[in-house]
């Protein structure tokens, strides 16, 4: 293996370890595109890990700033040695990815370090754009090289849907880190207090609040799929698979009676296999001659 192969392998391990859902969804892509997805995921994962670290706030801000400087340096350097940057440099050399989308992702991570509470659903959607929709925008030139400009709104919607799903799944985990992403206005509207969240109370008021955000996420999933046919065939099934698998997290939480406090709820392996089998069947049908 070359150093570049090793770099991509490391990125893949990061993705497989931290997001089995993403890893399985993008399994359908050709190798070149699949490797690019790994590298972009690794970039986002590193930024995420800095923000989620248990260290001092000042230290995390400094690390994130250093990470951004390393990204800027990678853009101008001809020779890069650190594995994750080596793989990402190769992506920039092969695809028309936009550095500003990566910078916006880091703006979202920096915002996460400053934020105390999100007040409105509009603020939550804006936050979701910077930390999640930007990922879709980074991936678009890989998934749809010829049509990525036309698919921006679709990618933005999918990112928002995924981030809202993450927030609904991670209520308990975020509380342990001293974070509440559910908007204050929406909590007030449904009569849910911080004390109730901290106590892990799942009553009708919490369920109604949860479902209000879930409906917003599902609206974004529907919106993202409206342009599915614009994607090239090799990417179409990966985008659809990622959407279906992530949307299935909401259903898994409903099946577990909305207990997002005591553990992190995942789509079980059997259901993932069923979804992948359905996708493979659809893909094979699509390939049959008319």
């Amino acid at each position: 293996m070359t150093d570049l192969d090793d770099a991509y392998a490391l990125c893949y391990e990061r993705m497989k370890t931290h997001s089995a859902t993403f890893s399985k969804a993008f399994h359908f892509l050709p190798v070149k595109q699949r490797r690019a997805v790994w590298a972009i995921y690794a970039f986002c994962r590193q930024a995420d890990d800095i923000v989620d670290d248990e260290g001092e706030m000042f230290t995390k801000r400094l690390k994130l700033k250093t990470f951004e400087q390393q990204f800027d340096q990678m853009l101008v350097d001809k020779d890069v040695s650190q594995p994750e940057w080596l793989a990402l440099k190769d992506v920039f050399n092969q695809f028309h990815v936009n550095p500003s989308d990566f910078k916006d992702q880091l703006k979202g991570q920096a915002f996460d370090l400053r934020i105390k509470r999100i007040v409105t659903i509009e603020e939550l959607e804006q936050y979701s754009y910077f930390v999640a929709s930007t990922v879709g925008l980074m991936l678009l030139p890989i998934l749809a090289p010829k049509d990525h400009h036309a698919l921006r709104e679709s990618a933005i919607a999918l990112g928002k849907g995924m981030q809202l799903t993450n927030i609904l799944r991670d209520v308990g985990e975020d509380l342990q880190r001293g974070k509440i992403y559910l908007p204050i206005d929406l909590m007030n509207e449904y009569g849910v207090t911080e004390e109730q969240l901290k106590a892990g109370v799942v009553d009708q008021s919490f369920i109604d609040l949860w479902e209000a955000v879930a409906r917003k996420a599902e609206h974004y999933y529907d919106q993202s799929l409206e342009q599915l046919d614009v994607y090239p065939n090799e990417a179409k099934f990966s985008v659809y698979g990622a959407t279906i698998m992530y949307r299935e997290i909401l259903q898994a939480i409903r099946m577990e009676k909305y207990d997002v406090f005591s553990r992190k709820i995942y789509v079980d392996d059997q259901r993932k296999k069923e979804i992948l089998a359905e996708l493979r069947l659809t893909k094979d049908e699509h390939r049959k001659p008319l």
Side-chain angles (χ1 to χ4, degrees), residues 62 114 179 256:
L62 185 60
R114 295 194 308 271
K179 294 278 192 179
E256 294 294 330

Side-chain angles (χ1 to χ4, degrees), residues 165-284:
T165 299
N166 285 339
I167 287 166
L168 290 171
R169 180 195 61 193
D170 297 342
V171 175
E173 187 177 284
D174 289 335
L175 279 166
Q176 292 175 7
R177 297 189 296 113
K179 294 278 192 179
I180 297 174
Y181 291 97
L182 296 170
I184 292 172
D185 283 359
L186 214 54
M187 287 178 61
N188 290 341
E189 179 181 342
Y190 288 95
V192 177
T193 66
E194 286 192 24
E195 289 72 24
Q196 178 180 340
L197 293 180
K198 290 173 181 176
V201 176
V202 179
D203 61 7
Q204 195 58 49
S205 62
F206 174 76
I207 292 171
D208 290 344
L209 166 65
W210 190 96
E211 285 289 357
V213 180
R215 285 193 298 273
K216 181 71 72 173
E218 289 172 326
H219 164 75
Y220 281 126
Y221 289 135
D222 290 339
Q223 185 179 337
S224 72
L225 291 177
E226 287 175 2
Q227 288 187 287
L228 186 64
D229 286 342
V230 180
Y231 285 92
N233 287 334
E234 64 267 21
K236 189 178 299 180
F237 298 97
S238 291
V239 174
Y240 183 69
T243 305
I244 296 303
M245 284 189 182
Y246 242 84
R247 191 170 193 161
E248 194 71 17
I249 294 171
L250 298 175
Q251 191 58 28
I253 294 169
R254 291 176 178 123
M255 295 292 290
E256 294 294 330
K257 303 185 185 304
Y258 303 91
D259 182 13
V260 289
F261 298 100
S262 61
R263 65 185 181 88
K264 194 168 186 171
I265 297 173
Y266 296 95
V267 178
D268 64 54
D269 287 340
Q270 181 57 39
R271 181 59 186 135
K272 285 181 181 176
K273 288 177 183 176
E274 291 170 359
I275 292 170
L276 286 170
E278 292 165 7
L279 288 170
R280 287 192 184 98
L281 181 62
T282 304
K283 195 176 187 207
D284 290 341

Side-chain angles (χ1 to χ4, degrees), residues 100-112:
S100 65
D101 294 325
F102 291 76
K103 300 284 275 190
D104 279 349
Q105 160 72 200
L106 297 180
K107 284 180 186 176
Q109 299 292 356
F111 177 76
D112 208 357

Side-chain angles (χ1 to χ4, degrees), residues 15 26 29 33-42 139 142-143:
M15 186 176 193
F26 288 100
L29 289 174
Q33 284 96 323
R34 202 185 317 156
R35 281 160 51 118
V37 171
W38 301 344
I40 290 172
Y41 178 87
L139 293 175
I142 287 95
L143 301 176

Side-chain angles (χ1 to χ4, degrees), residues 8-72:
Y8 275 119
L10 178 62
C11 294
Y12 171 67
E13 286 303 318
R14 280 183 178 271
M15 186 176 193
K16 189 174 71 170
T17 300
H18 294 283
S19 184
T21 298
F22 246 58
S23 180
K24 290 179 186 297
F26 288 100
H27 175 73
F28 294 106
L29 289 174
V31 173
K32 179 180 173 181
Q33 284 96 323
R34 202 185 317 156
R35 281 160 51 118
V37 171
W38 301 344
I40 290 172
Y41 178 87
F43 169 86
C44 298
R45 183 76 252 169
Q46 288 180 91
D48 243 3
D49 287 346
I50 291 169
V51 173
D52 291 343
D53 185 74
E54 295 182 356
E56 294 289 330
M57 191 63 66
F58 174 79
T59 302
K60 290 196 283 189
R61 287 173 180 160
L62 185 60
K63 285 182 178 179
L64 189 62
K65 187 64 179 175
T66 300
F67 183 71
E68 183 174 6
Q69 290 169 346
Q70 290 172 345
F71 171 74
D72 291 335

